[in-house]
């Protein structure tokens, strides 16, 4: 309990410190000394002026949220473009300044990112299991540029930090959405650090009792074992040097509370017994060869558990995670997990897909890959069955679009679908009585093609008794086409086939 309170107080103090623009630039310069400070400053002032007078529920200026979102992106070592879009991400949604204004001032690329974030903001998770998978796929499919997803993560991370001031219903909705939608996507994109941060912050709100239960067990145990880990660290360091591995670092990190909790639930055991469930020791070396040498050194020192050696370097996970894993009977018979990887692999494991837009240690920009067909890449890798199924599912969604009902429900349609397809998808009767439709509040003709993110509203007239035969010219989904034919036959307009 004391640990828990201590933790809460620290996080309250932490979240009430306001941020300055100079803090952001300082952070960016640690990895990108040549950043475009002037443009960043302009974006900051643009956001500050646009949001002027707006305050968040906790009383701070709205621009604090813009800055915090940008800071989260800087912590992922993102490029200027993404950070600027992060500063501006709520401007079109919250103010009278439009996406067009952003485009005039900051160009098409940044405006496109901001627009993508605004569109994703329309997504509403209604807490129904059957929607979760659809929503996750839609999320990725809609964000044609994956940087949009990264900005959304940065945005949501800060929302979670300031969640305590919201009313409980809202807390639940936001945090549940994070566990069901955001964290699994972060995982899919290989962003281990973001996934952990999202999960642990949301966990506390979705399952407060469980969170406290895990916290109260883990915190004292971790403290008690710190000395133990530093002894293991020393012993391994010495042995590595003796075996010619001279450049390395060893760190031990507490695993995420939410993943600890899920493991407990899987085992149906509400106690943390083995340290392997609590902490992973990570050894970071210079080369792949050193990874395998390190594995050998660890196995010489401590006996490995059979079946627990995993070579994700030879066989990376579908999300491109690479590392060697082993679990050993360590000092005093404690069971400890080791993860061995190079610096590059470590960066990938923490930032995943984001690493493509981030800066490396020398301050150079990594090769900017604008559009990564990571689904494709993933499908070429050897993978476990469950992961294989996942990539196939993703493949299925490749030629799909995701549109919304005015209530925010997600409708998944074939690419190039029209308003009439949407109407029939809702219900055959809605299709039959359809006389018009609005796309994003604009009256549109029935043959207008929909694109992901559109909000579609159908206008019906009960007096319409039969479909128009011309609809067959532009109805795209087989469901709509077959229903239209059937209704035409019933009305005697089409000969039965
Ligand atoms: Mn926001």
């Amino acid at each position: 309990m004391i640990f828990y309170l201590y933790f809460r107080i620290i996080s309250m103090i932490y979240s009430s410190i306001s941020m300055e623009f100079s803090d952001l630039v300082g952070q960016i310069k640690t990895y990108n000394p040549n950043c475009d400070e002037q443009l960043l400053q302009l974006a900051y002032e643009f956001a500050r002026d646009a949001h002027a007078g707006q305050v968040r529920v906790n009383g701070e200026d709205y621009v604090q949220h813009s800055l915090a979102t940008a800071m989260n992106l800087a912590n992922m070592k993102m490029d200027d473009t993404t950070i600027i879009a992060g500063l501006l991400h709520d401007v079109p949604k919250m103010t009278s300044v439009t996406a067009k204004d952003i485009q005039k001032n900051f160009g098409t690329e940044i405006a496109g990112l901001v627009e993508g974030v605004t569109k994703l903001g329309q997504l509403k998770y209604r807490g129904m299991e059957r929607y979760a998978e659809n929503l996750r796929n839609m999320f990725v499919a809609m964000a044609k540029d994956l940087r949009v997803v990264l900005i959304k993560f940065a945005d949501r991370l800060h929302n979670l930090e300031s969640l305590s001031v919201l009313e409980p219903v809202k807390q639940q909705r936001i945090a549940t959405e994070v566990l069901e939608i955001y964290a699994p996507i972060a995982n899919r994109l290989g962003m281990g650090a973001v996934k952990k941060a999202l999960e642990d912050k949301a966990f506390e709100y979705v399952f407060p009792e469980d969170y406290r239960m895990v916290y109260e067990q883990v915190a004292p145990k971790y403290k008690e074992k710190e000395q133990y880990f530093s002894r293991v660290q020393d012993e391994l360091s010495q042995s590595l040097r003796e075996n010619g591995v001279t450049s390395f670092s060893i760190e031990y990190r507490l695993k995420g509370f939410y993943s600890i909790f899920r493991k407990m639930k899987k085992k149906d055991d509400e106690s943390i017994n083995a340290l392997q469930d609590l902490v992973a020791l990570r050894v970071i070396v210079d080369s792949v060869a050193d990874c395998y040498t390190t594995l050998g050194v660890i196995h010489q020192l401590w006996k490995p558990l059979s079946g627990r050696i995993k070579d994700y370097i030879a066989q990376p996970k579908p999300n491109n995670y690479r590392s060697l894993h082993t679990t050993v009977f360590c000092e005093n018979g404690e069971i400890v997990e080791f993860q061995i990887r190079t610096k590059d692999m470590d960066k990938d494991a923490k930032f995943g897909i984001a690493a493509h837009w981030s800066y490396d240690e020398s301050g150079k920009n990594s090769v900017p890959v604008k559009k990564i067909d990571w689904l494709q890449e993933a499908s070429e890798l050897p993978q476990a069955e469950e992961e294989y199924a996942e990539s196939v599912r993703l493949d299925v969604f490749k030629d799909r679009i995701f549109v919304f009902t005015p209530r925010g429900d997600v409708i998944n349609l074939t690419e190039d679908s029209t308003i009439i397809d949407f109407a029939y998808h809702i219900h055959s009767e809605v299709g039959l009585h359809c006389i018009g439709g609005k796309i994003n509040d604009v009256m549109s003709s029935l043959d207008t093609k929909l694109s992901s993110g559109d909000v579609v509203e159908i206008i019906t007239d009960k007096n319409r008794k039969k479909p128009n035969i011309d609809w067959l010219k532009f109805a795209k989904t087989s469901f709509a086409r077959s229903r239209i034919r059937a209704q035409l036959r019933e009305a005697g307009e089409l000969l039965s086939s």
Side-chain angles (χ1 to χ4, degrees):
M1 190 62 198
I2 287 167
F3 279 111
Y4 183 74
L5 281 177
Y6 174 74
F7 172 76
R8 286 310 305 258
I9 288 165
I10 291 292
S11 63
M12 271 168 64
I13 293 169
Y14 179 75
S15 64
S16 66
I17 298 169
S18 75
M19 203 184 289
E20 305 277 340
F21 174 69
S22 56
D23 298 331
L24 174 65
V25 173
Q27 176 60 24
I28 297 170
K29 283 192 169 165
T30 61
Y31 64 88
N32 179 15
N34 302 320
C35 64
D36 192 340
E37 203 174 331
Q38 218 174 354
L39 195 61
L40 283 160
Q41 172 107 31
L42 281 174
Y44 166 68
E45 284 165 5
F46 191 92
R48 188 196 57 197
D49 295 349
H51 290 296
Q54 296 180 333
V55 282
R56 307 189 75 229
V57 186
N58 64 1
E60 56 183 23
D61 287 342
Y62 199 89
V63 77
Q64 281 295 318
H65 169 63
S66 319
L67 268 178
T69 303
M71 188 61 128
N72 285 336
L73 290 164
N75 289 334
M76 298 181 215
K77 301 193 168 131
M78 299 307 293
D79 61 11
D80 292 345
T81 308
T82 314
I83 292 174
I84 289 170
L87 281 168
L88 302 170
H89 80 275
D90 273 334
V91 167
K93 189 182 88 183
M94 303 284 299
T95 78
S96 56
V97 179
T98 63
K100 257 230 152 70
D101 297 325
I102 291 180
Q103 192 196 329
K104 265 186 237 150
N105 285 277
F106 298 96
T108 318
E109 193 181 4
I110 288 169
L113 290 175
V114 173
E115 208 175 355
V117 176
T118 311
K119 268 191 170 184
L120 279 191
Q122 296 168 326
L123 178 154
K124 282 196 195 77
Y125 178 58
R126 312 190 81 87
M128 279 180 252
E129 185 51 44
R130 70 194 171 91
Y131 279 126
E133 181 60 26
N134 253 6
L135 273 174
R136 289 196 285 266
N137 285 300
M138 180 200 65
F139 204 95
V140 178
M142 262 177 67
K144 286 170 197 121
D145 189 324
L146 277 172
R147 287 178 295 180
V148 168
V149 177
L150 306 183
I151 297 167
K152 204 62 201 159
F153 284 156
D155 171 42
R156 193 43 73 97
L157 271 171
H158 184 245
N159 286 338
L160 286 172
E161 263 158 37
S162 39
L163 209 53
S164 60
V165 293
L166 294 185
E167 51 196 286
V169 181
K170 265 194 160 171
Q171 290 178 350
Q172 278 291 320
R173 183 183 65 72
I174 293 174
T176 307
E177 201 172 84
V178 166
L179 287 188
E180 298 279 337
I181 309 294
Y182 287 69
I185 293 171
N187 182 44
R188 191 180 287 176
L189 298 179
M191 305 175 70
V194 172
K195 172 188 173 257
K196 183 177 161 185
L198 285 168
E199 279 185 346
D200 284 352
K201 283 181 183 142
F203 180 28
E204 194 185 346
Y205 290 96
V206 181
F207 306 108
E209 305 272 290
D210 295 315
Y211 179 87
R212 192 182 287 201
M213 181 270 292
V214 173
Y215 193 89
E216 281 170 358
Q217 288 197 60
V218 168
K221 185 143 190 165
Y222 181 65
K223 253 200 122 45
E224 168 197 316
K225 288 291 171 188
E226 272 185 311
Q227 279 208 333
Y228 174 83
F229 287 121
S230 74
R231 262 204 328 276
V232 170
Q233 215 175 358
D234 289 345
E235 190 166 353
L236 179 58
S237 300
Q238 197 192 330
S239 209
L240 281 172
R241 280 190 210 97
E242 284 166 12
N243 284 277
V245 182
T246 48
S247 170
F248 59 85
S249 65
I250 304 173
E251 53 186 40
Y252 49 91
R253 284 257 168 95
L254 197 53
K255 291 188 178 176
F257 282 12
Y258 188 60
S259 69
I260 291 173
F261 169 63
R262 279 214 306 223
K263 231 175 232 167
M264 287 165 125
K265 270 185 79 175
K266 232 191 218 166
K267 286 187 190 158
D268 219 5
D269 180 4
E270 293 225 327
S271 62
I272 295 158
N273 297 312
L275 286 180
Q276 58 171 331
D277 295 336
L278 199 63
V279 176
L281 270 119
R282 205 167 283 159
V283 188
I284 296 160
V285 295
D286 279 349
S287 66
V288 172
D290 281 353
C291 287
Y292 289 101
T293 307
T294 303
L295 182 70
V297 169
I298 291 170
H299 287 173
Q300 264 172 8
L301 283 171
W302 304 294
K303 190 173 150 44
L305 271 74
S306 63
R308 295 296 299 271
I309 305 163
K310 304 230 171 72
D311 187 344
Y312 294 121
I313 294 178
Q315 296 200 313
K317 288 190 184 183
N319 67 6
N320 206 28
Y321 175 83
R322 289 169 301 155
S323 276
L324 300 174
H325 287 192
T326 186
T327 306
V328 300
F329 295 104
C330 209
E331 302 295 299
N332 311 327
E334 295 271 14
I335 295 172
V336 174
E337 183 188 324
F338 285 89
Q339 301 170 352
I340 308 152
R341 52 176 83 145
T342 64
K343 283 177 194 152
D344 275 353
M345 294 175 195
D346 189 50
K347 191 179 164 195
D348 279 349
K350 283 179 182 136
F351 300 122
I353 207 90
H356 286 274
W357 293 280
S358 68
Y359 285 74
D360 63 20
E361 279 179 351
S362 61
K364 269 188 309 213
N365 201 349
S366 324
V367 190
V369 188
K370 294 291 176 219
K371 207 176 170 190
I372 299 165
D373 200 350
W374 60 276
L375 303 177
Q376 176 81 34
E377 280 171 20
S379 68
E380 285 163 5
L381 298 166
Q383 51 217 173
E385 234 169 274
E386 189 189 332
E387 287 165 339
Y388 178 71
E390 169 126 310
S391 68
V392 171
R393 266 205 301 280
L394 284 167
D395 233 28
V396 169
F397 281 100
K398 254 183 171 172
D399 308 317
R400 312 289 293 177
I401 56 164
F402 300 86
V403 292
F404 303 97
T405 69
R407 288 173 57 225
D409 285 336
V410 181
I411 306 292
N412 171 5
L413 296 166
T414 321
E415 224 171 16
D416 292 337
S417 286
T418 61
I419 292 182
I420 207 72
D421 291 302
F422 182 92
Y424 274 92
H425 189 97
I426 302 288
H427 199 282
S428 301
E429 290 295 302
V430 176
L432 179 64
H433 298 307
C434 176
I435 54 160
K438 284 183 186 175
I439 301 177
N440 305 323
D441 275 334
V442 179
M443 278 302 292
S444 310
S445 63
L446 291 180
D447 62 348
T448 310
K449 283 179 185 170
L450 305 174
S451 40
S452 277
D454 285 344
V455 179
V456 185
E457 189 183 340
I458 300 297
I459 299 160
T460 54
D461 180 353
K462 287 265 181 287
N463 293 323
R464 181 189 267 286
K465 292 283 185 272
K466 59 180 202 284
N468 186 331
I469 195 159
D470 285 343
W471 290 355
L472 287 171
K473 289 180 187 155
F474 51 79
K476 173 88 182 170
T477 60
S478 47
F479 178 76
R481 299 181 64 80
S482 74
R483 294 309 303 150
I484 293 168
R485 279 206 199 89
Q487 289 168 346
L488 282 169
R489 273 197 296 274
E490 263 169 54
E493 295 250 331
L494 200 70
L495 297 172
S496 18
S497 47

